[in-house]
Amino acid sequence: PREPSDAASNWLIAGPTITCTKASNASFTFDHAFDQTVDNSSVFEAVARPIVESTLAGFHGTIFAYGQTSSGKTHTMMGSSKEQGIVHLALEEVFSIIARSDSR
């Protein structure tokens, strides 16, 4: 488990489960849970790459960022001058898969 990074935080992240450590002790389990130390390429590898690959194999896919205001959704999806976002990484993967395809 990762302890909250600042004293004001009331949440504990253990794998894909986030638990409120104050008052209710409510737990929420997701496919993946990332804290602020995870970079965009790690999020892409864990979440977006499989969606891109399955989409190019003929399945529908959506990559959707949801969260509270100022939690980093735009940075994760669009990136910055120092770190590519999910959109850019996904487009690179699309063209990489097409380039490797024999039937293109």
Side-chain angles (χ1 to χ4, degrees):
R2 291 172 286 188
E3 293 296 328
S5 59
D6 72 293
S9 181
N10 297 327
W11 299 93
L12 175 68
I13 300 172
T17 302
I18 301 174
T19 303
C20 179
T21 59
K22 304 288 185 209
S24 69
N25 278 340
S27 289
F28 305 92
T29 301
F30 302 92
D31 293 335
H32 303 277
F34 304 100
D35 67 13
Q36 67 275 12
T37 64
V38 178
D39 62 7
N40 292 344
S41 62
S42 296
V43 175
F44 174 78
E45 292 298 328
V47 178
R49 182 184 298 274
I51 294 171
V52 170
E53 291 170 349
S54 66
T55 299
L56 290 175
F59 296 94
H60 295 285
T62 299
I63 300 169
F64 182 80
Y66 178 82
Q68 107 182 33
T69 300
S70 294
S71 62
K73 299 175 299 293
T74 301
H75 172 77
T76 299
M77 294 303 288
M78 302 307 294
S80 67
S81 60
K82 297 177 182 175
E83 181 180 21
Q84 296 177 336
I86 302 300
V87 172
H88 185 91
L89 295 167
L91 287 171
E92 281 185 346
E93 183 63 12
V94 166
F95 287 107
S96 175
I97 290 170
I98 290 170
R100 293 190 313 260
S101 173
D102 293 334
S103 62
R104 60 184 177 132

